[in-house]
Short mmCIF file of all heavy atoms in Angstrom, two decimals:
data_model
loop_
_atom_site.label_atom_id
_atom_site.label_comp_id
_atom_site.label_asym_id
_atom_site.label_seq_id
_atom_site.Cartn_x
_atom_site.Cartn_y
_atom_site.Cartn_z
N GLY A 296 5.85 -9.34 -14.38
CA GLY A 296 6.56 -10.03 -13.25
C GLY A 296 5.92 -9.73 -11.90
O GLY A 296 6.44 -10.11 -10.92
N THR A 297 4.88 -8.86 -11.95
CA THR A 297 4.27 -8.50 -10.59
C THR A 297 2.73 -8.76 -10.71
O THR A 297 2.09 -8.66 -11.82
CB THR A 297 4.48 -7.03 -10.19
OG1 THR A 297 3.85 -6.18 -11.22
CG2 THR A 297 5.96 -6.82 -10.05
N GLN A 298 2.14 -9.08 -9.58
CA GLN A 298 0.73 -9.29 -9.44
C GLN A 298 0.12 -8.47 -8.34
O GLN A 298 0.68 -8.35 -7.25
CB GLN A 298 0.40 -10.68 -9.27
CG GLN A 298 -1.10 -11.14 -9.17
CD GLN A 298 -1.33 -12.52 -8.93
OE1 GLN A 298 -1.08 -13.02 -7.85
NE2 GLN A 298 -1.83 -13.30 -9.88
N LYS A 299 -1.03 -7.78 -8.58
CA LYS A 299 -1.77 -7.13 -7.54
C LYS A 299 -2.87 -7.92 -6.97
O LYS A 299 -3.54 -8.58 -7.76
CB LYS A 299 -2.31 -5.83 -8.09
CG LYS A 299 -1.37 -4.75 -8.66
CD LYS A 299 -0.45 -4.20 -7.63
CE LYS A 299 0.61 -3.22 -8.22
NZ LYS A 299 1.35 -2.55 -7.11
N VAL A 300 -2.98 -7.99 -5.74
CA VAL A 300 -4.00 -8.84 -5.04
C VAL A 300 -4.83 -7.99 -4.13
O VAL A 300 -4.38 -7.45 -3.20
CB VAL A 300 -3.42 -10.03 -4.32
CG1 VAL A 300 -4.44 -10.82 -3.70
CG2 VAL A 300 -2.50 -10.91 -5.12
N LEU A 301 -6.19 -7.81 -4.55
CA LEU A 301 -7.07 -7.04 -3.66
C LEU A 301 -7.69 -8.01 -2.67
O LEU A 301 -8.07 -9.18 -2.94
CB LEU A 301 -8.15 -6.50 -4.54
CG LEU A 301 -9.11 -5.47 -3.78
CD1 LEU A 301 -8.30 -4.10 -3.63
CD2 LEU A 301 -10.40 -5.29 -4.58
N LEU A 302 -7.72 -7.67 -1.37
CA LEU A 302 -8.32 -8.44 -0.32
C LEU A 302 -9.65 -7.83 0.09
O LEU A 302 -9.68 -6.67 0.48
CB LEU A 302 -7.39 -8.46 0.85
CG LEU A 302 -5.96 -8.98 0.57
CD1 LEU A 302 -5.06 -8.97 1.92
CD2 LEU A 302 -5.99 -10.39 0.04
N VAL A 303 -10.65 -8.66 0.00
CA VAL A 303 -12.04 -8.25 0.35
C VAL A 303 -12.57 -9.01 1.58
O VAL A 303 -12.44 -10.38 1.53
CB VAL A 303 -13.00 -8.42 -0.82
CG1 VAL A 303 -14.39 -7.95 -0.47
CG2 VAL A 303 -12.46 -7.72 -2.03
N SER A 304 -13.08 -8.34 2.61
CA SER A 304 -13.50 -9.17 3.73
C SER A 304 -14.75 -9.96 3.42
O SER A 304 -15.75 -9.52 2.83
CB SER A 304 -13.88 -8.13 4.89
OG SER A 304 -14.61 -8.68 5.86
N GLY A 305 -14.75 -11.27 3.81
CA GLY A 305 -15.85 -12.07 3.62
C GLY A 305 -16.96 -11.88 4.55
O GLY A 305 -18.08 -12.21 4.34
N ASP A 306 -16.67 -11.12 5.66
CA ASP A 306 -17.63 -10.81 6.64
C ASP A 306 -18.38 -9.48 6.37
O ASP A 306 -19.64 -9.36 6.70
CB ASP A 306 -17.02 -10.70 8.02
CG ASP A 306 -16.47 -12.08 8.44
OD1 ASP A 306 -17.05 -13.08 8.14
OD2 ASP A 306 -15.41 -12.09 9.16
N THR A 307 -17.74 -8.50 5.82
CA THR A 307 -18.30 -7.11 5.71
C THR A 307 -18.53 -6.71 4.27
O THR A 307 -19.09 -5.73 4.00
CB THR A 307 -17.42 -6.09 6.40
OG1 THR A 307 -16.16 -5.93 5.74
CG2 THR A 307 -17.26 -6.45 7.88
N GLY A 308 -17.80 -7.39 3.33
CA GLY A 308 -17.90 -6.98 1.90
C GLY A 308 -17.01 -5.83 1.58
O GLY A 308 -16.98 -5.31 0.44
N ARG A 309 -16.25 -5.32 2.49
CA ARG A 309 -15.37 -4.13 2.22
C ARG A 309 -13.98 -4.55 1.85
O ARG A 309 -13.50 -5.72 2.16
CB ARG A 309 -15.28 -3.31 3.53
CG ARG A 309 -16.59 -2.63 3.88
CD ARG A 309 -16.48 -1.84 5.21
NE ARG A 309 -15.45 -0.74 5.14
CZ ARG A 309 -15.63 0.43 4.54
NH1 ARG A 309 -16.79 0.63 3.97
NH2 ARG A 309 -14.65 1.27 4.51
N ILE A 310 -13.42 -3.61 1.11
CA ILE A 310 -12.00 -3.76 0.68
C ILE A 310 -11.07 -3.51 1.87
O ILE A 310 -11.08 -2.44 2.46
CB ILE A 310 -11.65 -2.90 -0.46
CG1 ILE A 310 -12.40 -3.14 -1.73
CG2 ILE A 310 -10.15 -2.90 -0.75
CD1 ILE A 310 -12.43 -2.10 -2.74
N VAL A 311 -10.21 -4.56 2.34
CA VAL A 311 -9.45 -4.41 3.49
C VAL A 311 -7.96 -4.56 3.21
O VAL A 311 -7.20 -4.46 4.16
CB VAL A 311 -9.92 -5.46 4.59
CG1 VAL A 311 -11.32 -5.22 4.96
CG2 VAL A 311 -9.74 -6.90 3.97
N GLY A 312 -7.45 -4.77 2.01
CA GLY A 312 -6.09 -4.91 1.71
C GLY A 312 -5.75 -4.92 0.29
O GLY A 312 -6.60 -5.18 -0.58
N LEU A 313 -4.57 -4.60 0.07
CA LEU A 313 -3.85 -4.73 -1.35
C LEU A 313 -2.45 -5.08 -1.24
O LEU A 313 -1.69 -4.50 -0.48
CB LEU A 313 -4.04 -3.32 -1.99
CG LEU A 313 -3.51 -3.21 -3.48
CD1 LEU A 313 -4.26 -4.15 -4.45
CD2 LEU A 313 -3.46 -1.79 -3.95
N GLU A 314 -2.07 -6.14 -1.97
CA GLU A 314 -0.67 -6.61 -1.91
C GLU A 314 -0.10 -6.64 -3.37
O GLU A 314 -0.82 -6.82 -4.20
CB GLU A 314 -0.69 -7.99 -1.23
CG GLU A 314 -1.33 -8.15 0.13
CD GLU A 314 -0.77 -9.17 1.07
OE1 GLU A 314 0.06 -9.94 0.48
OE2 GLU A 314 -1.00 -9.17 2.20
N THR A 315 1.27 -6.58 -3.31
CA THR A 315 1.95 -6.71 -4.55
C THR A 315 2.84 -7.88 -4.44
O THR A 315 3.66 -8.00 -3.39
CB THR A 315 2.76 -5.54 -4.92
OG1 THR A 315 1.99 -4.30 -4.97
CG2 THR A 315 3.51 -5.62 -6.22
#
Side-chain angles (χ1 to χ4, degrees):
T297 63
Q298 182 184 66
K299 301 289 180 176
V300 181
L301 191 76
L302 305 178
V303 182
S304 170
D306 295 325
T307 67
R309 290 179 61 80
I310 295 169
V311 295
L313 179 63
E314 306 211 349
T315 303

